[in-house]
Amino acid sequence: MNLNFLSPIYLLGLLGIAVPILIHLLTRRQQKRLRFSAVYLLLQSQKRSIKRSAPNRLLLLVIRCLAIALLSLALAHPLFSFGRAADLIPAKPSAHVFILDDSYSMALRSDDETLYDKAVKAVLNPIRKIPAGSVYSVVLASSPARVLQQWTEDASLAEKILKASKPSFQTTNIGQAMTEAIELLQSVPQKEKRIHVFTDLDKNGWEKKDFTLDEKKHSYAVKIIDFSHLNTGLNRAAVKNVEVSQEFLTNSRIVRVKSKVINLYHDSAINRLTVALAVNGKNRSEGAVSLAPNAVEEKEFTFPVTASEPVNGTIEIADDSLPLDNQRFFSYQPDQKIQVLVVDGDPKTVAHQRETFYLENALSPLAAALSHIEPTISTLEQLEARDLFDFSVVILCNVSDLPFDYEIQLEKYVMQGGALFITLGDQVDPKYYNQKLGNLLPATIESLQQVGRQDEPFRLQLQKSEHPVLKIFTGKALEEMKSIRVHSLYRVEPRENRKFTVPLWFANKYPALVESDFGKGKVLLYATSIDRDWNDFPIQPTFLPWVQRWVKYAARGLESIQRQDLLVGEPFVWRDDFAATLLFVKSPGGKITQLVSSGGEALYKETLRPGVYNLYRAAGEAREKPESAEPAPETVVKLPENALPAGAFTVNVDTKESIAGKISEEEIKKLLPNMAVEISSGGVSGEAVAASEGLPLATPFLLLVAGMLFWEGWVVRRE
Amino acid sequence: MQEKESFAYDPKVLSRISALKIRALNLVEGLLSGNHRSRHKGSSVEFAEYKDYSPGDEIRHIDWKVVGKTDKYHVKQFEQSTNLKCTILLDASGSMGYVSPNETGMSKMDYARTLVASLSCLLLKQFDAVGLTLFNDQVIQHIPPRSKTSHLQHILHGLCAIEPHGITRIDQVVESLVERLQGRSMLVLVSDLLAKEDDIYKDLKLIASRGLEVVLFHILHPDEVSLPFEGDFIFESLEDDPDIGLDPQDIREEYQNMVRRQIESYKKQCLGLGVDYVFLETTTPLDQALSYYLLKRQSLSKA
């Protein structure tokens, strides 16, 4: 038999019993002792007498104490049941896997502790009673499920680990946990094997695809202890989504944050729920939304930013019992446009005859917002008025020669990380290029190769490439590019002792594009023209992505890392050229991890906490992936002094966990067809009891209180 | 020997004896003045009345002068001339030791002692034999009747040396005593009659059936009659009853009724048995009790 309380805090009311007792003691008259002769006569007359004041006083005291005790018991919502925690563990040697749901929905606060705390108590209760010869293990069910405690008989081990544990920020994955549990159970000799699942039965954790093991072969008793009844109505709302964008309508930079808030109630609306925006740790703005049941409402905030500092912020809604899903992080690098300086070496008054006409349109086809590239067209004359360091990429299009000593500025610019993209054409003076830009260019420009209009043109040698820029051109795109006709090109020859790569060739084995690194920057040389003078590539549909990708690649903006918004547990992939670069990730907790790159990719898996993760780069010898072992990110104490911020990404909780709702018993039984599934509800005291047997006693207790008060009144009146 | 020692050496007892003696003598002297002398002047054989002769009467008692005058046989009857033997039974059980918390006058036991001493004194002065039996659930001390004047000292000592204790069982005492008591003697029972397991009526009936003259002095303290206490009390028994805690106010009426009924019932029963029942509260002056005794004695000697 078992008596559980849903609100045990009210049991403090039992202390109220002291009040009538105190009153009784204080008002009690001093009793005198007297040696008397006719005591037996007193006894006889007392028996006959109707008035019995002293027992009445005691009776009143008892009634009043009982009334107070019953009232506080009734307020504490007692549940009476016949189930016992000991039932979970049979006396004979047995093996038990305790699956503990530590997903973030278990962090919901009910009374003054979380569901997880209650579940931990409920797990520890049977573990403490585990008889000799029986073993247990503990599996955590948040995705990815993992074994917390291997088979053991020692109850203190789990106690130590579990008491220190906290719910994670991940979603539930009971299926995986089941698989782990079944694997564990197969490895023990005990005949009696059981699985105990302590969960809030969030539907999100019971996806069919996760139940991979063939349960037909394994038939175990599965006892599910459900804590969801403690959750009813406590989690009101969640922030579902946050989108950040930038507005360019005005001259100042305006960041627009769109958030979607969902009402988790199925039957009641929420009026004026506060939604607050905080940016870089300061409250920026506040608004309110009213939500119909189950509805999603959008709340938009805009705010100006003055510096191009990264914006890290949160959208937060008014508190409820599960604070984790009330907050969503975002990170934004304002002004993410790649500023490109396009130098037109063959400007014409007719727009489409200009050298840069196709390039400009390809770089910003409709609006700058779509491509994140902002080209600035400049003529040679205007060039000296420009500050190269305002731009990420400089494209020299068919430029004959540069102003005096401008090549030195260019060298400095590329050395410090700028990208130089040179396209050739009829204006180009190869001599100038070979002499003045010898440091920058890994190849010399040799002879001009031309074919007649009627002759077979030069074709690009197209095959599937692993180059970051070209890898997207496959299949149909590749076929289309085969139709590109090139009439004129410069043959280029490599300089001695220079490192370079040729990502693109002509079919006649002439390099079409030469790529080389110079300092921190990158130099690209395109052996033909970027307009239609020497080829018809600019009017091909593949021209646009091809040009954009090269520009982004050169500007290191390809697959912009700043835009990554991950869910807890999703790995972060940093794709870039990591030559001579050390990579660091700083987690919201302040932990700094140095990443290991391999093939232009660095992987960071420890996205287990929601928040903003900052990225840093520092010059230095990059850690390359060792041949044999798995790359192991390394925790470092301090960032190197030359480390520079390299963006940020955000990790947020998956609101599926909040929104999904509760899975029904039938659905569970369908998922576990051969298992003997039994669902009971988790009590407050940490004992597991069967829900069907839990009899609420609040009403009878209140009736008893009324009865006591009535009786008390009657006794007082009779006095 | 034991008796003598305690008699000789216990100064408390000695002082109590002298005080009791003085009290008793004062009382008795006052009562007997005028009455005393005449009772000892006449012969021991005193004519009382005539009675018709009936076979079996002694012939020598026939008054021949009357036969001569009336031609009828009359027998002369004479008053008893022998000394009276009186045994005083004093209840020395625990209940007799009740001392009121707001005691002003005499305690119950002192009252009883004075009564017994006075009676003894009175009797001895009349040359009657007086004995004393102290009892609770059994006979504690028995002083056989003697008529010597110095016998008073023994009685006084017996009275003063005893402290009330134990439970009251009159029936057992009566059973053991009644055999020793001679007919035509007098029995004075002094008790509070607070004996829950005793059937007093039965005891009295037994005594009366032996042809004894019985005087019953029923002594109660006014507290025991009216239960005048105020407040919560735990009453501890002077005998063997369990303690009881109560507010006397709650049961006062019932208690008073019960005591009153008991007294009425004794009075009625005693009347039926020919026992003289005298109810005394300790506030009643003792000379009343004694004068009652004298009246009784007078009627006895006339019988």
Side-chain angles (χ1 to χ4, degrees), chain B residues 101-138:
Chain B
N102 35 19
E103 186 69 83
T104 45
M106 230 183 281
S107 77
K108 198 156 81 170
M109 193 62 189
D110 281 345
Y111 189 85
R113 278 191 187 114
T114 316
L115 174 65
V116 173
S118 310
L119 278 175
S120 311
C121 192
L122 198 62
L123 288 162
L124 287 169
K125 284 206 178 222
Q126 292 174 162
F127 305 102
D128 291 332
V130 180
L132 176 67
T133 302
L134 293 160
F135 69 94
N136 44 29
D137 57 337
Q138 59 192 9

Side-chain angles (χ1 to χ4, degrees), chain A residues 32-34 36-37 48, chain B residues 224 232 234 236 244 261:
Chain A
K32 287 169 259 180
R33 298 187 86 85
L34 180 68
F36 194 63
S37 46
R48 288 188 196 181
Chain B
E224 292 166 325
D232 269 2
I234 295 175
E236 292 171 16
I244 173 172
R261 274 201 300 275

